[in-house]
């Protein structure tokens, strides 16, 4: 178990990554997620082909795996945990806007290398907002 | 008469061949995007699965998995300008994603996760669709 950080707040689970939990993921769950991801990617590409890249781009920020994730979490850990996952999703979605902004600014200059910086922007904004909101007591 | 018919059938066959060729040319990037997009979704979902607490794990449920795959392949195959236009659409879509998660907290709490997460699509549709109607011409 590797711990990223922890906040000394009573009753709050510390933040961390548990690699052992990956082994608990079944092949069926992985296949469902792959199918969802592949389907939405194909739909985004087809929509871009038919209605243009701007409309197709909308689907790059489509909640593709959230329904599957929320359903699986509720089944395994209860409704409260599923709602907590959606709360974190808000922060991740704000990070998606930062990803898109960096991509818009840098793609014309640096080509596909811009996507690496856009991913760095997503990570920085998401983690910054998450730990900020948690520190302020806005997130569990 | 027979000559004319032959000419027509030959031109129809040539056109069908051209359409097939164009669709095959479009099919390759679509299949690539589906494969790489699916793989990225699995990679981020495994990180989400290993993360705790669930609010932290939720960050990775809204990771740019499909965007990374699609924009990378679009940028390589169609050039950065098409990828930039897609990223602009994605910016509007991300506002819809925020709306989805906000609505999802309430709908998942009041219904089961499956029904609640499906109902929350309405939030994405209204916000992303509304912004698209306002800004995309």
């Amino acid at each position: 178990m590797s711990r990223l950080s922890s906040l000394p707040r009573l009753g709050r689970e510390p933040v961390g990554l548990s690699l052992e939990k990956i082994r608990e993921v079944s092949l069926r769950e992985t296949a469902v997620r792959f199918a969802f991801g592949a389907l939405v990617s194909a739909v985004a590409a087809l929509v871009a082909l038919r209605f243009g890249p701007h409309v197709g781009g909308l689907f790059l920020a489509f909640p593709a795996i959230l329904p599957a994730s929320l359903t699986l979490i509720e089944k395994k850990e209860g409704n409260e945990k599923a709602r907590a996952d959606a709360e974190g999703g808000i922060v991740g979605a704000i990070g998606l806007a930062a990803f898109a902004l960096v991509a818009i600014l840098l793609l014309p200059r640096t080509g596909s290398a811009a996507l690496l910086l856009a991913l760095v922007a997503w990570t920085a904004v998401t983690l910054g907002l998450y730990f900020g909101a948690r520190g302020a007591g806005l997130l569990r | 008469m027979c000559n004319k018919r032959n000419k027509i059938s030959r031109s129809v066959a040539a056109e069908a061949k051209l359409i097939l060729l164009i669709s095959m040319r479009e099919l390759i990037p679509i299949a690539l995007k589906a494969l790489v997009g699916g793989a990225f979704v699995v990679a981020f979902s495994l990180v989400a699965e290993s993360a705790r607490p669930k609010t932290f794990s939720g960050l990775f449920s809204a990771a740019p998995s499909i965007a990374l795959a699609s924009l990378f392949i679009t940028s390589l195959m169609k050039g950065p300008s098409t990828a930039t236009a897609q990223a602009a659409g994605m910016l509007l879509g991300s506002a819809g994603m925020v709306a989805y998660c906000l609505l999802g907290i309430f709908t998942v709490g009041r219904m089961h996760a499956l029904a609640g997460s499906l109902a929350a699509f309405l939030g994405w549709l209204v916000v992303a669709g509304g912004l698209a109607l306002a800004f995309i011409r």
Side-chain angles (χ1 to χ4, degrees):
Chain A
M1 170 109 49
S2 67
R3 194 183 259 187
L4 287 181
S5 78
S6 66
L7 290 161
R9 288 210 168 201
L10 284 173
R12 287 214 306 186
E13 207 182 333
V15 175
L17 293 172
S18 163
L19 297 176
E20 297 96 81
K21 285 198 98 181
I22 292 178
R23 287 192 206 116
E24 292 169 20
V25 180
S26 71
L27 199 67
R28 190 175 171 272
E29 283 169 28
T30 308
V32 167
R33 281 169 174 152
F34 180 85
F36 266 103
L39 184 72
V40 176
S41 302
V43 166
L46 285 169
V47 170
L49 208 62
R50 175 71 182 84
F51 299 103
H54 285 102
V55 182
L58 289 173
F59 289 86
L60 301 187
F62 186 78
I65 53 164
L66 268 162
S69 295
L70 295 176
T71 310
L72 286 171
I73 292 167
E74 188 187 59
K75 202 171 145 192
K76 281 182 185 173
E77 300 175 62
N79 186 276
E80 189 66 24
K81 295 272 184 179
R83 287 175 59 207
D85 194 77
E87 279 177 30
I90 297 170
V91 180
I94 296 170
L96 280 185
F99 177 97
L101 267 175
V102 172
I104 292 165
L105 291 172
L106 297 183
L107 268 170
R109 288 171 210 181
T110 61
S112 50
L115 298 174
L116 208 63
L117 290 168
L119 187 62
V120 170
W122 177 82
T123 311
V125 168
T126 301
L127 291 182
L129 278 177
Y130 178 77
F131 286 110
R134 215 171 127 90
L138 297 170
L139 276 176
R140 280 171 273 180
Chain B
M1 185 76 172
C2 201
N3 250 356
K4 202 175 174 187
R5 222 180 258 170
N6 274 348
K7 254 187 195 171
I8 291 170
S9 63
R10 244 181 278 146
S11 79
V12 167
E15 236 169 84
K17 213 174 170 183
L18 189 72
I19 289 170
L20 195 73
L21 217 96
I22 292 169
S23 8
M24 282 306 285
R25 206 192 298 158
E26 296 296 351
L27 204 68
I28 293 166
I30 293 171
L32 263 176
K33 282 175 188 175
L35 275 176
V36 183
F40 278 178
V41 163
V42 168
F44 277 108
S45 74
L46 287 178
V47 179
E49 201 68 42
S50 73
R52 66 176 168 78
K54 280 295 162 203
T55 49
F56 186 58
S57 138
L59 306 182
F60 302 96
S61 300
S65 39
I66 289 168
L68 261 178
S70 291
L71 291 176
F72 182 70
I73 292 165
T74 303
S75 173
L76 285 184
M77 296 184 107
K78 292 197 170 173
S81 64
T82 311
T84 306
Q86 282 197 346
M90 183 193 167
L91 186 61
L92 305 181
S94 64
M97 184 76 142
V98 173
Y100 175 91
C101 293
L102 274 170
L103 190 61
I105 295 169
F106 294 102
T107 52
V108 167
R110 275 156 187 76
M111 310 175 204
H112 279 296
L114 183 64
S117 57
L118 291 176
F121 273 125
L122 199 66
W124 185 87
L125 199 69
V126 168
V127 174
L131 287 171
L133 284 175
F135 292 106
I136 299 175
R137 294 180 201 288

